[in-house]
Every structure is written in structure tokens, then in C-alpha cells.
Amino acid sequence: MHDMATLASDASTLLIEAVEQTPRENWYMASNLDGWTVRDLIAHVTGSATKIVTLIEGGALWGRSEPADWMVDNPAEVLRDLRRRMVESLPDADVDAPRRTPQQDGDVPLRSALAYPISDLAIHAWDLHRSQGRLVDLPDRVLAFISGLVESVPEDILRRPGGFGPQQDVPDGASPTTKLMAFLGRAVG
């Protein structure tokens, strides 16, 4: 069993670092995700971080869903505040408490509801770095968590529209993070 508080903290720290290393002049450049700018990516993960806090605090998730809905003038500041709220509230949260999410029918335990948005933070932190020519490796526990989650999803669901693209080629000697990102459809070469 993964410690959700530690994973959320690690993933949000990765994201904050990626956003802080993204100068405003890069916001409108294309990201490594087709059709998304770096700004769109930052907005999307700001929404993911907000969803994590909303789930922990027992709120409803429906509403804003487009990247433009989540863009703010100082995303790093907003993300630091959301991380603080995660770190403060998640250790005492009942991870077995039922939560309803738009992606799942019926209620699921909080731990299950958090899995995808926490993974989203780390994957998109990597995307932000990659979009700007930087390569990073995910921390081992985050990598293990995301790998386990991805392995648990049937291929047809993983690759459905709006999900992950086809697996990409991996260069010889690639790191485990690079292999995972290639599996998730990211160009890594």
C-alpha cells in the first residue's frame, strides 16, 4: 500500500518545481502534447491539484474541466497553497471514505479516487520539463506508483480517446522514467 500523503506531496513538489522553471515567455509555446501549449498544460495540472484537495476535503468535482478554466496569473503560488492543503489534510484523511468522481460509476474509496490525479501531477511535471527540452526522472516511489496504476488499466481503456497515445520507441539504455513515458505515448527520443 502506497502512502497517499507522501505520493501527493512528492508529485506536487515535482509539479511546482516544473512550473517554477517555466518562464512566462514559454507559456504559449507548444507542449509535447498535441494541441496543447505549455500554458494549457499548467492550467490542466492546476485543475488536477485542485481536484486532489477537493477530494480530500469531500467536495464535489463537477464543474470546470477545460484548461482555460484553471489558468491563473501565478500558478506556482496557487500550486504551493494546494500542496500545503494536501500535506496538512491528507495524513488525517480517511482513505477508505467514499468519494464520487466523474470518471467512475458510484462511490470509490478516497485512495482510489486520488490515484489518477496524483499520477497526473507527476506525469505532467515530466511533460512540462520535456516540452522545454529538460529531461527529468521521477522519484522511485512515484515511478513505482504510476507504473502499478498503469499496469492495472486494460489497454483499451488506457488508449481510449482522451487517454494515452500509442506506445513510442525507447532508446537503448533509457531510464525507467523514460520507458514509462514512452509507454504512455510520449516521444522520448
Side-chain angles (χ1 to χ4, degrees), residues 34 130 143:
D34 288 340
R130 177 73 175 156
L143 180 66

Side-chain angles (χ1 to χ4, degrees), residues 82-138:
L82 290 167
R83 182 187 180 283
R84 178 193 55 76
R85 289 169 64 188
M86 284 180 225
V87 169
E88 288 176 0
S89 59
L90 193 51
D92 296 325
D94 178 0
V95 294
D96 294 317
R99 293 293 189 270
R100 184 169 300 268
T101 70
Q103 296 82 21
Q104 295 150 323
D105 291 328
D107 290 343
V108 297
L110 175 60
R111 106 173 33 77
S112 297
L114 292 175
Y116 288 105
I118 288 173
S119 296
D120 204 47
L121 299 184
I123 291 167
H124 290 317
W126 185 92
D127 287 328
L128 277 171
H129 285 293
R130 177 73 175 156
S131 296
Q132 298 171 81
R134 300 184 301 261
L135 296 178
V136 296
D137 284 320
L138 301 178

Side-chain angles (χ1 to χ4, degrees), residues 111-189:
R111 106 173 33 77
S112 297
L114 292 175
Y116 288 105
I118 288 173
S119 296
D120 204 47
L121 299 184
I123 291 167
H124 290 317
W126 185 92
D127 287 328
L128 277 171
H129 285 293
R130 177 73 175 156
S131 296
Q132 298 171 81
R134 300 184 301 261
L135 296 178
V136 296
D137 284 320
L138 301 178
D140 290 342
R141 75 175 145 238
V142 173
L143 180 66
F145 176 73
I146 296 170
S147 296
L149 180 62
V150 167
E151 290 168 7
S152 74
V153 178
E155 186 77 13
D156 61 323
I157 293 174
L158 187 70
R159 308 277 180 213
R160 72 176 181 242
F164 296 101
Q167 182 172 347
Q168 301 295 306
D169 292 332
V170 180
D172 291 338
S175 72
T177 295
T178 300
K179 290 176 184 176
L180 173 66
M181 295 305 169
F183 179 76
L184 295 177
R186 271 64 175 167
V188 298

